[in-house]
Amino acid sequence: MPGTNLPTLCLPLLRSSFQSFTKSEKRVASFILERPHDIIHMTISDLAEATKTAEATISRFCRKLGFHGLQSLKIALASEILSPLETNYQEVQPTDSFETMGTKIFNSISEGLQDTLKLLDFDALQKAVAILDHAHKIDIYGFGISAVIASDIEHRFIRFGIPTKAYSDLHMQLISASILEPEDVVIVVSHTGSNTDLLNSVEVAKQSGAQVIAITSHLKSPLTKKADLVLHGMSREVNYSSESMTSRLIHMAIVDLLYMGMIFKNQDKFTNNLNKLRLAIANRKE
């Protein structure tokens, strides 16, 4: 994240930006992720030789992450690897027992939540709550496992009395996006942020004048370039999942933050609506 202020994190930033790196940059990133303690004592020449890249590539790689050079990257890295929160991540293997699998997956979720806490833009979160609070209508787009999160957002946010609808079908997303107005808001949930159909829906929504809030795991995905606000959740995938298991829970944690922010802005209205909802359900049970 280029700017005047250097990043204070290295490993979460590497993981979240990994897919945006070139082939040679991925070699550097993988080496750092696999051997963070070794990097602290290496020169730029050592790292270039170990990763079979040029020193210029490493310098460019560091600047791409927002660091002045390898030295400033190592300073940030040193503070992280001494943290008790930073542990070694392990992939699930087919020979693992259920206890081992549970330990790895639960650690992955825990570490992903900690990474998200480090990387989440809380100013963007506050702005997102303000935008949602003034929305005339909220539409939510998501495919696959993200559609489950979209449905959860619909279920929660409809309680604020704002027309809210989740769409997991491309044609319905395009219909929704085409009739949006500037006072409307779209929440887009996507682990990779690179689904072409989803990006098309976002493009149509933007053309309609709606504001777009993205919840994604990849910091430099195409979706982040199209969205007005990005809420970035970091997850560490395991090999034996076609889609990230942990990203679903991490994205839902971000939704929890949005939901609580909306509750605090609309406490009386929320309480009144919730009482009406409970009364309606109670009457249905009789």
Side-chain angles (χ1 to χ4, degrees), residues 54-124:
E55 292 183 18
T57 298
I58 294 174
S59 296
R60 186 168 57 249
F61 169 80
C62 294
R63 290 194 298 271
K64 192 171 185 178
L65 289 171
F67 298 100
H68 292 325
L70 182 61
Q71 186 62 28
S72 57
L73 183 148
K74 290 197 296 183
I75 291 172
L77 182 59
S79 65
E80 286 181 74
I81 61 177
L82 296 177
S83 169
L85 294 177
E86 193 59 52
T87 60
N88 290 327
Y89 174 62
Q90 294 177 301
E91 297 283 1
V92 171
Q93 303 297 330
T95 55
D96 288 341
S97 66
F98 278 102
E99 181 179 1
T100 301
M101 280 193 289
T103 299
K104 289 181 178 180
I105 291 172
F106 278 48
N107 282 343
S108 174
I109 293 169
S110 176
E111 292 167 3
L113 286 169
Q114 291 298 329
D115 283 352
T116 298
L117 192 59
K118 296 174 185 176
L119 290 173
L120 190 60
D121 186 339
F122 288 97
D123 287 337

Side-chain angles (χ1 to χ4, degrees), residues 176-280:
S176 155
S178 66
I179 60 175
L180 291 170
E181 298 182 354
E183 296 82 10
D184 300 328
V185 178
V186 175
I187 301 176
V188 184
V189 185
S190 175
H191 173 53
T192 65
S194 58
N195 183 285
T196 302
D197 289 336
L198 193 65
L199 294 173
N200 287 339
S201 299
V202 171
E203 189 64 38
V204 174
K206 294 287 290 181
Q207 291 172 1
S208 296
Q211 296 192 76
V212 176
I213 299 171
I215 300 176
T216 184
S217 300
H218 292 271
L219 191 58
K220 297 182 180 180
S221 64
L223 176 60
T224 64
K225 296 178 175 63
K226 293 180 180 292
D228 296 291
L229 286 172
V230 177
L231 303 177
H232 171 243
M234 181 60 221
S235 68
R236 308 182 187 189
E237 297 184 43
V238 292
N239 285 332
Y240 285 85
S241 61
S242 58
E243 293 174 278
S244 174
M245 292 184 289
T246 57
S247 70
R248 172 173 55 88
L249 298 177
I250 290 166
H251 291 174
M252 290 183 75
I254 293 174
V255 172
D256 284 344
L257 286 171
L258 291 173
Y259 183 60
M260 291 305 300
M262 286 288 286
I263 289 176
F264 292 146
K265 274 186 169 291
N266 302 272
Q267 293 189 54
D268 292 339
K269 184 177 182 180
F270 175 79
T271 301
N272 186 45
N273 287 345
L274 192 60
N275 288 335
K276 290 179 181 178
L277 182 153
R278 288 172 175 166
L279 180 61

